[in-house]
Amino acid sequence: MAAHAGTLNAFPVFMRVKDRTVVIVGGGEEALAKARLIAQCDTAIRIVADAPAPALAAFAAKRGAELLRAPYEAAQIDGAVLVFAATGAEAQDARVIADARVRSIPANAVDRPQLCDFLTPAIVNRAPVTVAIGTEGAGPVLAQIIRARIDRMLSPALGPLARLAAGLRDTVENLVPRGSARRRFWTDFFDGEPARLMEIGHISEARAAAERLLGQDAPTRGHVALIGAGPGAEDLLTLRAQRLLMQADAILFDALVPTAIVEMGRRDAERIAVGKRKGCHSKAQGEINALLVELAAAGKRVVRLKSGDPLIFGRAGEEMQALRDAGIAYEIVPGVTAAFAAAADFELPLTLRGVSSSMVFTTGHDLKGSTLPDWARLAIGGATVAVYMGRSVAAEVAGRLIEAGLSPETAVAVVENASLPGRRLLHGTLADLPALQRRDELAGPVMTIIGDAVAGANFDRSQPLAAVAATALAA
């Protein structure tokens, strides 16, 4: 044991309870909580309560648990593998514990650690995989917080995947040599194609992929995940995205993806910046496509991180086509697009009953041509319009829409750095929007939302665009 590690007062074990009986003594909420916990196991449950609460009685009936509606007697715990005292009265709990010890049955008194032979952990259930968390006196709240974090980390597909692994274990031992070959197989199984297929519910295909792994000697071809990194806030990243980052051999990321999100990837993963900002492209799109194919063809698990959602102004279509042409497996992991984050910052309903029932995603540059795009008619008809990357062409956007017939009094909301702590919010009307073009201090990505539904936003933390315009004129 490392010198800095503390000693344990309780040794963690897993108790076999299948085809045995667990007894719970008590009739209230504490007994119900323990019954629900034990019900995750394949075991018989006996509840002893002379006056069980209705919820406990209902649970017993639904679960098929034995409910003894009688005062507690020691004989009622005979033959149990575990006993829980949950009466709510310390003297009665102590009596149950004493009776269990006479019979050499491990016993637990709820919320009375001084009486317990064992402690019940917080559990993350991915049967047949189980994670149990104990905090030895640090309190149940800490255990539940840790449990929630681990629960988020482990895919819901881990249980079915582990069951598939258990079914293949004998075959693997017979066909795959011990040592590095077997380690490589299980790594490819739990991190590769079988795991990805199980993740999306394709159970038979996951089994077929595992069988293909058994029949090949050469390393498998790689895989690419096109992942939406969201608008910037780390905690808006999806759980699936986080898991794939932890499995990645190589991470290609755009300029707008925060370093903190890139660093969520596996520690030894190769990190490659391929970002494109206005006037500064580190790699051309064709180079990015070729790099994705090259890395995956070498057998690597590749994550392509894109700001927002990969399918909204992310050039994912070109990358998917390149991967298809090369026969590379890939998947799309959606992200929170900037329009949704900006709307959340403003508490702004993007659709509003009786006001707006449709939405347009566009860039300001769509309005620079001689012909108005088709969506301009939707804007005039009441659709909410989300304009990406539109600060430098704000005056043109406003002018073209007003010229097309959209009222100059149409509400407008502007967010710089949506979802981040340092975001800036501005509001006004379409007539005020040209002032945005003079805001050179807005160095972050800017999202503009236009439409009658914007009037329903919360402007308490927002600065009026009209005030910005007056300041610019005075300067």
Side-chain angles (χ1 to χ4, degrees), residues 1-9 136:
M1 182 179 292
H4 64 274
T7 57
L8 299 173
N9 294 323
E136 279 203 79

Side-chain angles (χ1 to χ4, degrees), residues 180-181 184-185 187-189 192-193 196 209 212-223 249 295-301 328:
S180 61
R184 187 183 71 192
F185 171 84
T187 298
D188 289 343
F189 177 89
E193 194 69 10
R196 287 190 290 272
R212 287 195 298 273
L213 277 179
L214 282 169
Q216 62 187 22
D217 297 323
T220 59
R221 285 174 73 80
H223 171 271
D249 299 308
L295 291 168
K300 293 188 176 182
R301 294 160 295 186
I328 301 294

Side-chain angles (χ1 to χ4, degrees), residues 39 92 254 259 282 291 315 328 366 382 392 399 403 453 473:
Q92 180 74 331
D254 281 346
T259 301
S282 63
L291 185 56
R315 296 195 175 184
I328 301 294
D366 285 348
S392 62
E403 180 184 329
L473 289 172

